[in-house]
Amino acid sequence: MNTTQITTAQRIKAIVGGSVGNLVEWYDWYAYAAFAIYFSNSFFPDSDLNAQLMNTAGIFAVGFLMRPIGGWIFGSIADKVGRKKAMTLSVLLMSFGSLLIALTPTYKTIGILAPALLLIARLLQGLSVGGEYGVSATYLSEMASENRRGFYSSFQYVTLIGGQLIALGIQLILQKLLLTETQLEEWGWRIPFVIGALLSVIALYLRANLHETEAFENKKEVSDKKKGTVTELLKHPKALLTVIGLTLGGTLAFYTYTTYMQKFLVNTVHLTKEQSTLISFISLFIFACLQPVFGALSDKIGRRPLLLGFGILGTLCTVPLLTTLSTTTSMWTAFFLIMAALIIVSGYTSINAVVKAELFPSEIRALGVGLPYALTVAIFGGTAEYIALWFKQSGTEQYFYWYITGCILFSLIVYAGMKDTKDNSSLDKD
């Protein structure tokens, strides 16, 4: 089916089908981060909160180490067999990981096996979500019309953030309406992981009914030796290095202001768990709504101006924002500071998927988008929480703010030196 012949209704169905699966995957991934403050003492014997959070964050980081492998495996499947099949497999794997977390007994019950099973579950989820990014970014970019690619592909981060919002929303309902804090710590934290496994069934159905992209269908006659192989990918070194460079600062900033921020508000700002959850929920909801706005803007003015805006403002404002946030005592001051940071980060998050997809030819696009991105996220995004908590424990938390600034500055240099992919898109050659 040619994308020029696809009706608006068909395109919306494809975008929804691709995005809902993405939403479920990221819900499962973020449920771990959102509920870590409740289940960390179930899996680790230490009575010190910061040590328990560090152990839990360490397993969160280890899950990221599987993402490059997932990016490679699922990227290759998507380029060789099809985007649809790869997306369906990734959802299945994620649901299995969620069920394993939900059913694992506590440390008091089975000892060292508890954190071991938690680790296995996160490794499986890391494999799944590592493949999900490249494949869904490729699918959404290929399904979009030429003049709306920024807008349509921005929904990847809408659903990515949406997954976190659902996790936080469920947390708010459990906190405010259904359970006491003691019940949440004893057994209530298992509920979101059961929900995640059930949601995967819906995502599986939606993805099973998607149609394949024309960009993939057009390359069916290309030899399998040229599809989704690392050897073929290495023939595009500039595009590979560009993906790493443009991702580095953005992913660190994103994970700092989303997954880590809830713990930062409790551990550093000394807000209550309920206050930090509420701030995270409201700010992330607005952040999600901003993604299509920034994506549509990139369709008008190009991708590079948005990336440069993020790079410049991120370099200049990160230290002042986080320093002020760490000393505030007002819940609403904290909210506005986080919101300012998320608006800056939107210059990266809204368009990073389409920028990467526009760099590679279709026969290696899913692998080219997914593998270098997953490697960079594993090193910088996945370790953000752990490094932040390590600096805090050593009494030098402000060094973490400078670490983020340095990474964003590095990405800014890449943005300044790259062409605008909107005007030089490999998607136009499909």
Side-chain angles (χ1 to χ4, degrees):
M1 185 183 293
N2 196 299
T3 51
T4 58
Q5 298 172 335
I6 292 178
T7 65
T8 301
Q10 288 172 320
R11 184 172 283 114
I12 289 172
K13 180 184 176 183
I15 298 299
V16 169
S19 297
V20 168
N22 194 44
L23 183 144
V24 174
E25 286 242 16
W26 287 100
Y27 162 80
D28 286 334
W29 183 253
Y30 283 123
Y32 182 98
F35 282 85
I37 53 177
Y38 289 109
F39 69 70
S40 56
N41 65 346
S42 294
F43 290 97
F44 301 100
D46 203 309
S47 59
D48 177 57
L49 174 62
N50 199 70
Q52 287 176 343
L53 286 175
M54 279 190 71
N55 284 326
T56 313
I59 287 185
F60 186 77
V62 169
F64 274 79
L65 297 179
M66 292 300 287
R67 288 177 64 163
I69 301 173
W72 168 53
I73 293 172
F74 286 97
S76 295
I77 292 170
D79 288 329
K80 289 177 182 292
V81 184
R83 316 324 190 192
K84 173 184 167 180
K85 289 182 180 177
M87 289 194 298
T88 303
L89 284 172
S90 69
V91 169
L92 274 172
L93 195 58
M94 180 60 80
S95 64
F96 182 75
S98 284
L99 263 183
L100 188 55
I101 295 175
L103 300 176
T104 296
T106 64
Y107 184 90
K108 289 179 181 177
T109 306
I110 59 170
I112 196 69
L113 274 177
L117 287 171
L118 181 66
L119 176 62
I120 291 169
R122 288 306 286 176
L123 292 176
L124 291 174
Q125 290 189 322
L127 197 68
S128 169
V129 85
E132 172 67 23
Y133 176 87
V135 182
S136 63
T138 298
Y139 184 81
L140 292 173
S141 299
E142 290 178 348
M143 286 305 305
S145 55
E146 184 179 342
N147 62 340
R148 305 295 298 280
R149 285 176 187 149
F151 174 74
Y152 277 110
S153 63
S154 72
F155 281 90
Q156 183 181 38
Y157 261 77
V158 172
T159 52
L160 190 154
I161 300 160
Q164 192 168 0
L165 278 173
I166 293 173
L168 287 173
I170 288 171
Q171 188 174 42
L172 280 170
I173 291 168
L174 293 176
Q175 285 174 338
K176 302 285 188 183
L177 302 176
L178 300 179
L179 301 177
T180 64
E181 184 155 336
T182 301
Q183 288 173 323
L184 271 169
E185 289 178 351
E186 288 179 352
W187 56 269
W189 60 264
R190 297 182 187 274
I191 294 171
F193 296 104
V194 174
I195 292 171
L198 294 174
L199 286 174
S200 297
V201 177
I202 299 170
L204 192 63
Y205 171 77
L206 288 169
R207 287 194 161 175
N209 288 281
L210 292 177
H211 61 265
E212 194 52 81
T213 68
E214 180 68 11
F216 174 79
E217 296 289 355
N218 284 343
K219 295 296 176 79
K220 274 196 167 178
E221 73 283 355
V222 175
S223 168
D224 276 354
K225 292 180 180 178
K226 291 190 174 183
K227 285 183 181 178
T229 64
V230 174
T231 303
E232 196 66 24
L233 182 62
L234 290 175
K235 294 178 182 178
H236 301 267
K238 186 178 179 182
L240 266 173
L241 292 173
T242 300
V243 169
I244 292 170
L246 70 88
T247 301
L248 194 152
T251 190
L252 178 57
F254 173 76
Y255 279 100
T256 297
Y257 293 118
T258 56
T259 56
Y260 174 61
M261 194 45 56
Q262 196 182 3
K263 297 177 186 65
F264 183 82
L265 291 173
V266 172
N267 218 16
T268 296
V269 186
H270 303 300
L271 298 179
T272 67
K273 291 176 182 178
E274 289 77 11
Q275 285 176 323
S276 67
T277 303
L278 183 61
I279 289 174
S280 296
F281 185 86
I282 298 170
S283 60
L284 286 172
F285 178 78
I286 298 170
F287 184 42
C289 294
L290 288 173
Q291 302 310 296
V293 177
F294 277 76
L297 181 62
S298 80
D299 288 327
K300 299 290 184 184
I301 67 172
R303 325 294 185 211
R304 194 165 168 266
L306 270 69
L307 291 172
L308 287 171
F310 159 68
I312 294 168
L313 291 172
T315 301
L316 295 175
C317 300
T318 297
V319 172
L321 279 170
L322 286 173
T323 302
T324 307
L325 180 61
S326 68
T327 57
T328 188
T329 54
S330 165
M331 175 180 168
W332 290 108
T333 300
F335 165 74
F336 285 115
L337 288 168
I338 293 168
M339 205 60 251
L342 289 174
I343 290 169
I344 293 170
V345 175
S346 292
Y348 162 79
T349 54
S350 59
I351 58 168
N352 81 93
V354 70
V355 169
K356 290 159 191 164
E358 287 174 328
L359 288 169
F360 296 96
S362 63
E363 59 268 25
I364 55 159
R365 184 169 293 137
L367 182 63
V369 173
L371 180 56
Y373 169 82
L375 277 168
T376 311
V377 171
I379 296 168
F380 294 95
T383 58
E385 278 192 18
Y386 193 84
I387 291 172
L389 290 166
W390 184 83
F391 275 126
K392 179 171 179 58
Q393 194 172 53
S394 67
T396 54
E397 190 168 27
Q398 69 276 11
Y399 289 178
F400 180 64
Y401 313 158
W402 286 105
Y403 168 64
I404 300 166
T405 300
C407 290
I408 295 175
L409 177 61
F410 181 87
S411 288
L412 175 58
I413 295 168
V414 174
Y415 305 150
M418 66 185 286
K419 292 180 180 178
D420 197 316
T421 57
K422 178 179 179 289
D423 303 318
N424 301 272
S425 176
S426 292
L427 288 163
D428 294 332
K429 302 171 185 177
D430 293 340

